[in-house]
Amino acid sequence: MGEFDLIRRYFQRPAGDGVEVGVGDDCAVLAPTPGARWLVSSDMLVEGRHFLSTVDPARLGHKALAVNLSDLAACGATPRGFTLALALPRVDEAWLAGFSRGLLALADAHGCPLVGGDTTQGPLNLCITVFGEAPAGQALLRGGARAGDEVWVSGTLGDARLALEVFRGTAALAGDGFEAVRAAMERPAPRVALGQALRGIATSAIDVSDGLLGDLGHILAASRVGARIDADALPRSAVLAAQPLALQRQCGLAGGDDYELVFTAPPGARLPDVGVALTRIGTLEAEPGLRVVDARGAALEHGLRSFDHFRA
């Protein structure tokens, strides 16, 4: 199978709403909504760095798009389309069928059509660029938080890191518990509806991709504020809650790959109900820095650090 046969069989589909020209030309042509602003994000996934060689291809397809949709969610954007650059060591039709199935199922669920991209031969590498829209002046950004705002997080944190520790052999899980945390790592749920509902309410937002400490730190730096976070208030699954406390804190504070939203909002703000649990985990302060405490308010000397591609 040649390159263009591969594209036609697995990735070419009719253009979606707002797409005047999709896969098959030199460029996609998208029709912007009047008064909206484009929001654009790219993420790359490299075998051995971001995913295991044994991952199910349908789950990999799902995750490849999910991590990009999560960036749109963090900015309160509505997905409009995406491109895929895909390097493959060889043409494996069974792998491609599974990958494209997982990828396009999530795309359909969020009304985000594939509009173009590129394919080549090489080590397995996936790079997606996603396009979204938000009304002018309403995108959620990192720089709007203020001292006194509350810090909130969606869903639960730490399951993906716990799954990684099981794969590494530093934690032990079996049966349903392992399958639950493995699904969290391989099939994250981008909080697109929540991000849109937070427009006009949240003062800042970010998705948890590299770990809570590092990602919240980006908000603090952009907004020039500090924060006090209660490590014992972090929402966690029953599987993670059954682990030793030190491992719970490692996974929740520095785990990454959660793709939940961390956002700030004024005290008393009426938060949206979109069917996702929201947990208050701390407060912003004028003094710079991120202070982590336990449920008694005692400072935690944790020594944890979020993921960094060039330090890890």
Side-chain angles (χ1 to χ4, degrees):
M1 180 183 295
E3 176 182 1
F4 300 106
D5 294 326
L6 181 157
I7 292 169
R8 281 190 290 270
R9 179 173 299 184
Y10 296 107
F11 299 109
Q12 189 161 10
R13 310 173 87 199
D17 292 342
V19 180
E20 294 180 358
V21 179
V23 175
D25 217 303
D26 285 343
C27 289
V29 181
L30 308 182
T33 300
R37 297 292 183 267
W38 286 114
L39 289 87
V40 182
S41 181
S42 293
D43 264 301
M44 182 184 299
L45 299 182
V46 178
E47 184 180 38
R49 189 64 170 173
H50 300 98
F51 60 91
L52 302 174
S53 61
T54 55
V55 67
D56 177 83
R59 289 190 169 195
L60 180 58
H62 173 102
K63 185 171 183 176
L65 181 56
V67 303
N68 284 270
L69 291 176
S70 186
D71 285 333
L72 292 185
C75 291
T78 300
R80 292 295 308 277
F82 73 100
T83 62
L84 168 67
L86 174 63
L88 294 168
R90 63 190 179 282
V91 174
D92 181 332
E93 294 191 43
W95 189 95
L96 282 162
F99 175 81
S100 62
R101 183 172 65 252
L103 177 82
L104 297 176
L106 186 63
D108 289 346
H110 288 279
C112 187
L114 176 61
V115 298
D118 192 23
T119 56
T120 190
Q121 187 174 23
L124 185 56
N125 185 308
L126 323 165
C127 186
I128 284 179
T129 297
V130 71
F131 305 89
E133 287 185 339
Q138 293 189 34
L140 302 177
L141 302 174
R142 300 175 181 181
R146 299 179 291 269
D149 284 352
E150 297 174 335
V151 183
W152 292 80
V153 66
S154 65
T156 60
L157 299 178
D159 278 1
R161 177 57 179 268
L162 179 56
L164 181 60
E165 294 304 321
V166 174
F167 279 116
R168 286 174 169 172
T170 61
L173 275 179
D176 292 343
F178 173 62
E179 289 305 321
V181 298
R182 183 177 185 176
M185 181 175 76
E186 296 177 347
R187 298 193 79 254
R191 303 303 189 185
V192 175
L194 175 61
Q196 293 170 7
L198 286 171
R199 293 196 305 239
I201 300 172
T203 55
S204 68
I206 193 170
D207 68 329
V208 183
S209 56
D210 296 326
L212 176 66
L213 293 176
D215 292 321
L216 178 57
H218 295 316
I219 286 180
L220 303 186
S223 297
R224 299 183 179 181
V225 294
R228 181 179 298 269
I229 299 299
D230 179 356
D232 293 331
L234 300 187
R236 65 206 77 187
S237 69
V239 178
L240 181 57
Q243 302 304 307
L245 183 58
L247 181 57
Q248 292 182 45
R249 287 175 172 168
Q250 177 189 11
C251 292
L253 289 168
D257 248 12
D258 295 300
Y259 300 102
E260 297 291 351
L261 297 188
V262 172
F263 63 93
T264 59
R270 187 170 182 177
L271 301 181
D273 182 0
V274 296
V276 177
L278 304 176
T279 304
R280 180 184 178 276
I281 61 170
T283 305
L284 297 186
E285 300 175 332
E287 180 184 358
L290 177 52
R291 290 160 286 282
V292 181
V293 300
D294 63 16
R296 301 169 299 162
L300 289 180
E301 300 298 330
H302 51 79
L304 297 172
R305 185 172 64 186
S306 291
F307 181 77
D308 184 310
H309 287 90
F310 295 101
R311 285 182 179 172

